[in-house]
Amino acid sequence: MSSVQRRLVRDMVRIRCVEETLADLYREEQQMRTPTHFSIGQEATSVGICTAARRTDVVYSGHRSHAPYLAKGGDLDAMVAELYGKVSGCAGGRGGSVHLMDKVAGFGGSAAILGEMIPVAVGAAWAFAMEGAPRVALTFFGDGASEEGAFHEALNFAMVHRVPVVFVCENNQYSIASPLSARQPRGATIRERAQGYGMPSRLVDGNDVFAVHAAGTEAVEWCRSGNGPYFLELATYRWREHVGPGWDHDQAQGYRPKSEVDSWIARCPIRGAADTLRAADPGIDARIDAWDAEFRAEAGRAVERAKSAAFPDVRDLLDGAYEPQTHGTGRGRN
């Protein structure tokens, strides 16, 4: 197993352990008072792409943000504290699960509004191009965001100005409870929309972390070399409900059959990676078990630190908020 392969599998296991730990606590303790969108089952997309980027490259994501945040090197303690609404959180306890950031790691931010961070990433990439900096912006979003007007405006602008941005569509087949078949014309594909703007695009098995990493490396280097934007559609699937720690198959909310969920669980990206590597590395299963224990313990420690941290002081409620200038005082706050 190469060092890159080792990192890819290890990072997927870490994200899985962190999110499963948080999902269990979210349901049982009711102390994280923020909507949470878990990427359990989708780890290969974030890990494969972010591992292909440099630390100086900047990643943006939508509401399903834990996985790309951690895959890009975001601080785990700061993320967990943010979910608990504590002042030590990466957004000061003000943003919750859907508003993560870590400038040091190159995670530019996430947001809850559908498609919001797609044009933000294009703006960052345009700045890189104008500065002549060898940096790339990457933006994660779901198949539902491809139906927003901002998506098309961003792709068009990116092609016109040939900015270094990688569009990463995590196509997990659903927009909340609506499947692709209920929202998009029969026979249409998301990557064809990018092709309509003349943008190079690829469809990749989003549960194959090695294929995602190879495609991500190609896309990032294409952009870094001054060739303009690149579009990746990654076919994947979330195991849990759209928002929250539960399940949403036909025994629960009922909008997707349990057999469908089970078929995708059988295509677990971690298990698939282990199957690929087992012949060359017979010890891969024991290694994954050791990582599993290590990272569940790490997640537990982060939770305990978050619980013991302070909540933001109410006197600081308006810090960071826009306050219009008062006429004649010459003072204002942004």
Side-chain angles (χ1 to χ4, degrees), residues 2-334:
S2 70
S3 60
V4 172
Q5 291 173 325
R6 177 187 176 94
R7 179 184 172 187
L8 292 171
V9 180
R10 185 177 185 273
D11 285 0
M12 286 196 297
V13 173
R14 183 172 186 250
I15 292 169
R16 174 75 59 83
C17 291
V18 168
E19 289 214 299
E20 287 187 339
T21 298
L22 293 174
D24 289 345
L25 293 171
Y26 188 95
R27 180 181 57 250
E28 295 167 2
E29 297 184 345
Q30 298 290 300
Q31 293 183 23
M32 288 175 265
R33 310 313 299 161
T34 172
T36 53
H37 303 76
F38 294 104
S39 294
I40 298 168
Q42 296 187 193
E43 296 87 357
T45 57
S46 293
V47 170
I49 295 296
C50 290
T51 306
R54 297 177 184 173
R55 193 167 181 84
T56 52
D57 297 331
V58 181
V59 166
Y60 299 87
S61 85
H63 48 268
R64 206 168 301 281
S65 56
H66 306 162
Y69 173 93
L70 291 173
K72 192 59 171 67
D75 185 278
L76 174 62
D77 283 348
M79 186 192 92
V80 175
E82 187 61 35
L83 268 64
Y84 277 89
K86 299 303 182 71
V87 71
S88 55
C90 59
R94 297 166 178 272
S97 169
V98 294
H99 295 104
L100 305 179
M101 63 185 72
D102 190 326
K103 292 183 179 180
V104 174
F107 189 82
S110 59
I113 298 174
L114 194 62
E116 178 182 2
M117 302 308 281
I118 301 175
V120 173
V122 172
W126 194 25
F128 298 157
M130 293 176 69
E131 295 167 357
R135 302 173 68 189
V136 176
L138 304 94
T139 177
F140 288 85
F141 52 92
D143 48 287
S146 71
E147 296 154 15
E148 292 290 305
F151 168 87
H152 292 276
E153 294 168 356
L155 265 63
N156 183 71
F157 188 96
M159 277 302 295
V160 168
H161 295 279
R162 302 185 66 79
V163 303
V165 57
V166 181
F167 297 98
V168 183
C169 177
E170 296 178 289
N171 183 354
N172 63 18
Q173 324 300 316
Y174 284 89
S175 178
I176 306 180
S178 300
L180 284 165
S181 60
R183 302 168 2 240
Q184 299 188 11
R186 181 176 299 178
T189 65
I190 296 173
R191 65 187 177 281
E192 286 174 340
R193 300 176 190 179
Q195 293 169 358
Y197 293 104
M199 190 181 303
S201 66
R202 287 184 60 184
L203 173 65
V204 182
D205 179 355
N207 279 22
D208 182 342
V209 71
F210 306 123
V212 173
H213 178 70
T217 299
E218 177 182 310
V220 168
E221 292 311 309
W222 169 274
C223 295
R224 202 183 311 282
S225 299
N227 297 309
Y230 202 105
F231 192 94
L232 292 172
E233 180 182 350
L234 309 181
T236 186
Y237 196 84
R238 56 174 169 81
W239 295 1
R240 303 295 182 99
E241 58 189 331
H242 165 68
V243 53
W247 302 86
D248 51 15
H249 45 65
D250 53 8
Q251 295 177 350
Q253 297 180 33
Y255 66 81
R256 55 183 185 174
K258 187 175 185 298
S259 59
E260 178 183 293
V261 178
D262 289 344
S263 70
W264 279 92
I265 290 177
R267 296 175 57 190
C268 170
I270 297 173
R271 186 182 303 130
D275 290 344
T276 299
L277 298 174
R278 192 170 292 110
D281 182 10
I284 184 64
D285 298 297
R287 203 184 312 277
I288 289 175
D289 288 343
W291 286 333
D292 188 279
E294 174 189 349
F295 295 136
R296 289 187 192 278
E298 180 191 24
R301 291 191 297 271
V303 167
E304 291 308 311
R305 283 190 284 267
K307 288 181 176 180
S308 64
F311 285 104
D313 194 310
V314 69
R315 292 171 296 183
D316 300 327
L317 182 63
L318 295 180
D319 285 359
Y322 175 74
E323 182 180 320
Q325 270 196 350
T326 301
H327 180 70
T329 65
R331 294 187 298 173
R333 181 167 56 192
N334 287 301

